[in-house]
Amino acid sequence: MENRIDIQKLEPSAFKAMFGLENYLENVKVSKKHLGIIKIRASQINGCAFCIDMHTSDAMKHGETSQRIFLLNAWKETKLFTEEEKVILAMTEEITLIHQNGLSDNTYKQAQKIFDDNQIAQIIMAVATINAWNRIVISSKKTVQ
């Protein structure tokens, strides 16, 4: 697969805005470990090999285990994820697959039992951000080196 345009080079202001979102996510209450599973799971759904590669490496640096990463796409069938993480993963899937039904009332209500409103907003922003990155990387055919 050949790389296409280099959006970062051609439109540096756009990338600056995207990095602004990343900088914002560096300072949220949501843990690095939880941000990692959001990024990996959304990237799996979207089929973004570049992002999966990057974020699995990052997640392991933040203490994530290879077993949990290997089973992330089957999180509903394992006991390796906490209830909090299951809500985060459900939110990630429903927001990423927004064309199906979007973030369901049931999942949102579960999130309200665990997270405060700011954390819910932060999770939504994390999911939206990785989905934007996935679309940029896939559209420009950025490859894993």
Side-chain angles (χ1 to χ4, degrees):
M1 181 172 11
E2 289 183 31
N3 284 344
R4 292 182 177 169
I5 57 173
D6 184 343
I7 297 173
Q8 186 172 9
K9 181 179 174 185
L10 295 168
E11 294 293 333
S13 295
F15 258 67
K16 184 178 180 182
M18 289 300 298
F19 286 125
L21 287 170
E22 288 298 329
N23 290 335
Y24 154 78
L25 292 173
E26 287 292 317
N27 299 302
V28 297
K29 292 182 195 175
V30 180
S31 74
K32 300 282 186 245
K33 199 168 190 178
H34 289 162
L35 289 171
I37 63 173
I38 289 168
K39 290 176 179 184
I40 297 166
R41 186 65 192 120
S43 298
Q44 288 174 333
I45 293 167
N46 290 323
C48 185
F50 182 88
C51 294
I52 293 168
D53 182 59
M54 176 192 300
H55 297 304
T56 54
S57 296
D58 290 345
M60 292 181 82
K61 289 176 192 170
H62 289 107
E64 191 56 80
T65 67
S66 55
Q67 182 185 27
R68 282 172 37 105
I69 291 171
F70 297 151
L71 291 170
L72 195 53
N73 66 340
W75 63 269
K76 293 175 188 172
E77 286 80 41
T78 179
K79 295 181 181 186
L80 292 176
F81 298 94
T82 66
E83 287 306 311
E84 183 177 75
E85 290 168 333
K86 288 179 180 182
V87 171
I88 289 170
L89 290 165
M91 290 177 70
T92 300
E93 290 185 358
E94 291 176 12
I95 295 167
T96 299
L97 298 169
I98 200 155
H99 66 282
Q100 291 180 355
N101 294 313
L103 181 56
S104 69
D105 290 339
N106 183 52
T107 300
Y108 186 81
K109 287 175 186 171
Q110 289 177 344
Q112 286 182 306
K113 292 177 186 174
I114 299 171
F115 305 108
D116 64 34
D117 288 347
N118 286 90
Q119 289 170 306
I120 292 171
Q122 292 166 3
I123 293 165
I124 292 170
M125 289 306 300
V127 176
T129 302
I130 189 57
N131 273 279
W133 279 122
N134 290 163
R135 281 149 180 77
I136 291 165
V137 170
I138 291 169
S139 296
S140 59
K141 293 193 174 184
K142 190 163 179 71
T143 58
V144 177
Q145 301 300 323

